[in-house]
Amino acid sequence: MEQNNGRQEPVLTGWRRRGHEIIFEAETPAGRAFDVGLIGAILASVIVVMLESVAVVRARHGAFLYALEWGFTILFTIEYVLRLWCVGRPWRYATSFFGIIDLLAVLPTYLSVLLPGTQYLLVLRLLRILRVFRVLKLVQYLSEAHLLAKALQASRRKITVFLFAVLTLVVIFGSLMYLIEGPAHGFTSIPRSIYWAIVTLTTVGYGDIAPQTNLGQALAAMIMILGYGVIAVPTGIVTVELSRATHTVSTRACPACGADGHDADAVFCKYCGTHL
Amino acid sequence: MEQNNGRQEPVLTGWRRRGHEIIFEAETPAGRAFDVGLIGAILASVIVVMLESVAVVRARHGAFLYALEWGFTILFTIEYVLRLWCVGRPWRYATSFFGIIDLLAVLPTYLSVLLPGTQYLLVLRLLRILRVFRVLKLVQYLSEAHLLAKALQASRRKITVFLFAVLTLVVIFGSLMYLIEGPAHGFTSIPRSIYWAIVTLTTVGYGDIAPQTNLGQALAAMIMILGYGVIAVPTGIVTVELSRATHTVSTRACPACGADGHDADAVFCKYCGTHL
Amino acid sequence: MEQNNGRQEPVLTGWRRRGHEIIFEAETPAGRAFDVGLIGAILASVIVVMLESVAVVRARHGAFLYALEWGFTILFTIEYVLRLWCVGRPWRYATSFFGIIDLLAVLPTYLSVLLPGTQYLLVLRLLRILRVFRVLKLVQYLSEAHLLAKALQASRRKITVFLFAVLTLVVIFGSLMYLIEGPAHGFTSIPRSIYWAIVTLTTVGYGDIAPQTNLGQALAAMIMILGYGVIAVPTGIVTVELSRATHTVSTRACPACGADGHDADAVFCKYCGTHL
Amino acid sequence: MEQNNGRQEPVLTGWRRRGHEIIFEAETPAGRAFDVGLIGAILASVIVVMLESVAVVRARHGAFLYALEWGFTILFTIEYVLRLWCVGRPWRYATSFFGIIDLLAVLPTYLSVLLPGTQYLLVLRLLRILRVFRVLKLVQYLSEAHLLAKALQASRRKITVFLFAVLTLVVIFGSLMYLIEGPAHGFTSIPRSIYWAIVTLTTVGYGDIAPQTNLGQALAAMIMILGYGVIAVPTGIVTVELSRATHTVSTRACPACGADGHDADAVFCKYCGTHL
């Protein structure tokens, strides 16, 4: 999937061919075992990173987790080098989506020697699990994901227009609330008021900042009802596009003019009038 | 419904047959009376469990509620034994969905002698009320529930893909917020930051943990708008599947003109008038 | 609308007829003026009740507002008596929806002499404004409201099944959280834990009660994601029913068998095969 | 777009014609450069206003930001005067939507000399960016925005009915909560209780006011479940209207067989093959 983008692959021989089979392919038993083991290692390493961030656990098992983290990093580094070695076009792999993710999955540990804290970025390793769909032959899931992606892409423009409208509203409402409530009630600046407007419009409602004057509460109530109604718009957009993507238009082509896209109940070609 | 899964039932005679009629069937007046009484007992026992958890009520009526709880438990235990006795295949009943629920509905009281506190699990008795649909001949409700279940099952894969995407997002955003805000602002560990990210993305927004730095609030605003838009996806999925499950189009094609898309109740082709 | 439910109305004469025209009908200029004035009086009286509840305003204008409230109540009482007098069937009016609302719109003031505080129930007067749709000839709004009501009624059973499922979930999750978090963390009883579960599942999220243990937060996260996905179900139900209610099925009836409900593109009756 | 509303425009000559080309049109390179520069200036000026509201930034760079603000205001004032001068019908421009926005974009600065604080209204300048759609030839986005606007307009009446129902509910629930909880628990007046009811029904849930009595929490739970279900209504409305607006079915009927429901691009009847 990652390499077969049209051009002829260089022919691999000997160990490199064997390594390519194991690491990049999932059909052979060895390749499948490798992939399942890899997923286990990724999940384990993400859990190690999470545990390390918990103060109580770090205090007790810090050294052990630190060692594990380095162990996983060295393992993934070796794997990355092997991938580079046994792939036909190393550069193309290194610059592909999964190639970059594979690199980002090891860099933070090395970086954390210089900049403490960056090792938490290792959770990006989780993105490597996207391979799970390829490995476990979840082809049907892939097609469902593709359907969702298609519907989201088709609604791209409508959602851009919608987001632009929401952002304009949020800036204007945020500034108004800054004028009405002011720094005394937690609305310390326009950017912070805009943050509050987003928290309110999206119905999250933390309550860390809340209007206290009558006018402010009246305006807030308006924003809430607006946000409550406005959520209907992206839902409507996605539903219509999903419905269209799911809808199965007849695949018959007209025998005379070759046009397709006929309705399922069409008897004659709608373009040239020939009987289908 | 619980027994008629294909194989021939053993023929019951005498008291066992009479008991089976009363306990398992709802057509006879006795069976119906038994079922209505059972539902009343279940609701009453769940309310007793709830009341017992309220400190003020327990202080005043604790002994009485405790006695009631044991009374209901003994009643349901007798009922469970009777069910085992008068059913044709006791083992099949005991391992069926309702058989397990019936057992779970009495176990916690006995368990609470050893492990105090477990008696609150008695609210699981509520699941027994699912029988209400069978008892009260709410067949239409059952078919509606079936329709909903069908639509949810059809959208199973899409929702799995969606949940996987949401979980990945939440882990990555949670880790980023842990780096940005840190333990000083309540983000004490990555798991807790992930909890915060879920609280925010789902627009629940408790406010027990809230970002306080500018960068953290900006990222939080992004997650909110994302969560606000992302809710459109499951809604779209379920709507499309429900629409498909509700729409009952026949798959018959007309033998004369080959047209399809006929309604389920059509007798003649709506295009050429031929008998289907 | 309120009287023409099939039976022949008694013939009114003289003043009673004139009063009926003014009070119950909206076609004549006098009737229209009466209705518009009535709506103004209702809105004004509701605003008076609201203002009276504000401590600052009550301290300053309490006596004036109290007088206004009694003024409106006496006005509406006279109107109610007039309605009873000039309507053909007083009892039928008194027991109709609007008749009861008209009575509830005056009772609280008289009741407040005995039970202070009940005068705030006067906001029920707002329901009288539902007449606005009839008065202002907002027939199209009425038909839209009818469409919405039809769609909601059609989805009645599905929504009942859905609500039953949500309530069962909420009771079980609430009890689990009571066991996990306990009274120390604000989950003081099972009913209160159920309240928390509803606050969380519906994504309201006050934050007055929030889980503090790791296990509690993990369970809470599950409830949130569930609630986030589950909201798709009522939306899907209502959308499908609205779509069906809006969908314009052909109104043609078959000339041979009289059946209707044909698709817009049908050429032959789907029941008897006659050409439409 | 702003001037071509039917009547013949006066013919402009010389500098005025040249200015009109640059300022009002976007086809020529000069006009395009002017518009892109204008968008940059608008965004920059809005950011200046936002930054000025942040106390830390104002303390350090206050004088500089103040100068920038006046600079932008003078720039936009010159632009406004130029627009008036080089447009064919100055009055029509001044009273058009964009003419008013252009004026509102400069007034607050002058006003802030008399009334400090009003300069924050300068964020209204953001509305000027709506021109971006015209400038960047985002015609497809415009048509998508038009589609959304059409769907929202078609659902206008249903949404009015829905909002009226929601407001009535919120007033009645707010008053009930005022009676149940009272000023002691934060429900200090009916208007504030209505604010709480809106915060709850829209699932925002700040938590600044939260019910504390058992009865209050039970009523709040009902409002939440209601709000959770009620959100399905606007979503359903918008989805159905969007679906209808997106679906472009021709209203032509076939001259031979009378069938309709043809696609907008159909040339021949899909049922009988006749030329439409």
Side-chain angles (χ1 to χ4, degrees), chain C residues 46 49-55 58 117-121 123-124 126-127 129-130 132-133 140-142 144-145 147-148 152 162-163 166-167 191-192 195 198-209 226-232 234-236 238-240 242-243 246-248 264-265 267 275, chain D residues 154 156-162 164 167-169 171-172 175-176 178-179 183 188-191 194 196 199-214 216-218 220-222 224-225 227-229 231-233 235-241 243-244 257-261 270-271:
Chain C
V46 168
V49 173
M50 284 190 190
L51 284 177
E52 214 207 336
S53 76
V54 183
R58 191 172 48 232
T118 47
Q119 75 270 23
Y120 297 122
L121 290 173
V123 290
L124 285 174
L126 206 62
L127 287 177
I129 298 224
L130 287 175
V132 81
F133 288 116
Q140 285 207 289
Y141 284 83
L142 262 183
E144 299 280 5
L147 199 74
L148 280 181
L152 288 177
F162 171 74
L163 271 185
V166 162
L167 284 179
R192 185 143 301 195
Y195 163 73
I198 292 173
V199 168
T200 301
L201 192 82
T202 57
T203 77
V204 170
Y206 282 134
D208 52 348
I209 312 172
L226 198 74
Y228 189 61
V230 152
I231 205 171
T235 306
V238 172
T239 304
V240 169
L242 255 180
S243 168
T246 313
H247 196 68
T248 49
D265 61 353
V267 180
H275 199 289
Chain D
R156 200 181 56 243
R157 283 207 199 97
K158 283 197 207 72
I159 283 178
T160 306
V161 170
F162 171 74
F164 185 85
L167 285 179
T168 307
L169 276 176
V171 169
I172 290 171
S175 306
L176 278 176
Y178 175 70
L179 282 179
T188 51
S189 67
I190 289 183
I194 291 171
W196 170 86
V199 168
T200 301
L201 192 81
T202 58
T203 78
V204 170
Y206 282 135
D208 51 348
I209 313 171
Q212 279 154 51
T213 64
N214 293 330
Q217 293 188 339
M222 270 180 56
M224 282 167 213
I225 287 178
Y228 190 60
I231 204 172
V233 177
T235 306
I237 293 168
V238 171
T239 303
V240 169
E241 291 302 338
S243 167
R244 197 188 276 183
C257 70
D260 52 12
K270 62 182 177 178
Y271 300 120

Side-chain angles (χ1 to χ4, degrees), chain A residues 26-37:
Chain A
E27 266 85 46
T28 61
R32 202 175 162 78
F34 176 82
D35 279 343
V36 170

Side-chain angles (χ1 to χ4, degrees), chain B residues 78-117:
Chain B
I78 293 169
E79 186 219 334
Y80 182 70
V81 172
L82 276 177
R83 280 183 187 265
L84 279 177
W85 172 66
C86 71
V87 80
R89 301 172 178 279
W91 186 245
R92 212 160 98 193
Y93 160 69
T95 55
S96 71
F97 175 72
F98 278 116
I100 292 167
I101 292 293
D102 290 349
L103 186 61
L104 286 177
V106 294
L107 273 192
T109 315
Y110 298 114
L111 215 67
S112 71
V113 179
L114 304 171
L115 285 168

Side-chain angles (χ1 to χ4, degrees), chain B:
Chain B
M1 198 170 109
E2 294 157 25
Q3 286 78 25
N4 305 332
N5 296 334
R7 274 195 287 167
Q8 189 65 35
E9 288 297 310
V11 180
L12 301 169
T13 51
W15 282 104
R16 283 182 70 195
R17 182 178 181 160
R18 179 86 183 115
H20 189 272
E21 264 177 34
I22 294 173
I23 298 179
F24 283 98
E25 279 163 38
E27 268 85 45
T28 61
R32 201 173 162 79
F34 176 82
D35 279 341
V36 170
L38 186 61
I39 287 168
I42 293 166
L43 282 179
S45 76
V46 168
I47 288 166
V48 164
V49 173
M50 283 189 190
L51 284 177
E52 215 207 337
S53 75
V54 183
V56 184
V57 178
R58 191 172 48 233
R60 204 178 302 169
H61 307 290
F64 175 63
L65 291 172
Y66 188 72
L68 268 183
E69 194 186 302
W70 273 99
F72 280 120
T73 301
I74 288 162
L75 205 74
F76 291 146
T77 309
I78 293 169
E79 186 219 334
Y80 182 70
V81 172
L82 276 177
R83 280 183 187 265
L84 279 177
W85 172 66
C86 71
V87 80
R89 301 172 178 279
W91 186 245
R92 212 160 98 193
Y93 160 69
T95 55
S96 71
F97 175 72
F98 278 116
I100 292 167
I101 292 293
D102 290 349
L103 186 61
L104 286 177
V106 294
L107 273 192
T109 315
Y110 298 114
L111 215 67
S112 71
V113 179
L114 304 171
L115 285 168
T118 48
Q119 75 270 21
Y120 297 123
L121 290 173
L122 287 173
V123 290
L124 285 173
R125 278 175 184 167
L126 205 62
L127 288 177
R128 297 193 72 194
I129 298 226
L130 288 175
R131 292 166 193 263
V132 81
F133 287 116
R134 191 173 58 96
V135 172
L136 301 178
K137 302 259 168 288
L138 303 174
V139 177
Q140 286 206 290
Y141 284 83
L142 262 183
S143 77
E144 299 280 5
H146 183 70
L147 199 75
L148 280 181
K150 198 175 139 197
L152 289 176
Q153 191 155 6
S155 41
R156 200 182 54 245
R157 282 207 201 97
K158 281 198 209 72
I159 283 177
T160 306
V161 169
F162 172 74
L163 272 184
F164 185 84
V166 162
L167 285 179
T168 307
L169 276 176
V170 147
V171 169
I172 289 170
F173 277 124
S175 306
L176 278 176
M177 284 303 276
Y178 175 68
L179 283 179
I180 293 171
E181 293 279 332
H185 295 153
F187 294 77
T188 51
S189 67
I190 289 183
R192 185 143 300 195
S193 299
I194 291 171
Y195 163 74
W196 170 85
I198 292 174
V199 169
T200 301
L201 192 82
T202 57
T203 77
V204 170
Y206 282 134
D208 51 349
I209 313 172
Q212 279 154 51
T213 64
N214 294 328
L215 191 56
Q217 292 187 340
L219 187 63
M222 272 180 56
I223 300 175
M224 283 167 213
I225 288 178
L226 199 74
Y228 190 61
V230 152
I231 204 171
V233 177
T235 306
I237 294 168
V238 172
T239 304
V240 169
E241 292 301 339
L242 254 181
S243 168
R244 195 187 278 184
T246 311
H247 198 69
T248 50
V249 167
S250 164
T251 55
R252 287 173 303 173
C254 171
C257 70
D260 52 12
H262 299 294
D263 291 348
D265 60 353
V267 180
F268 291 89
C269 172
K270 62 182 178 177
Y271 300 122
C272 69
T274 308
H275 198 288
L276 293 170

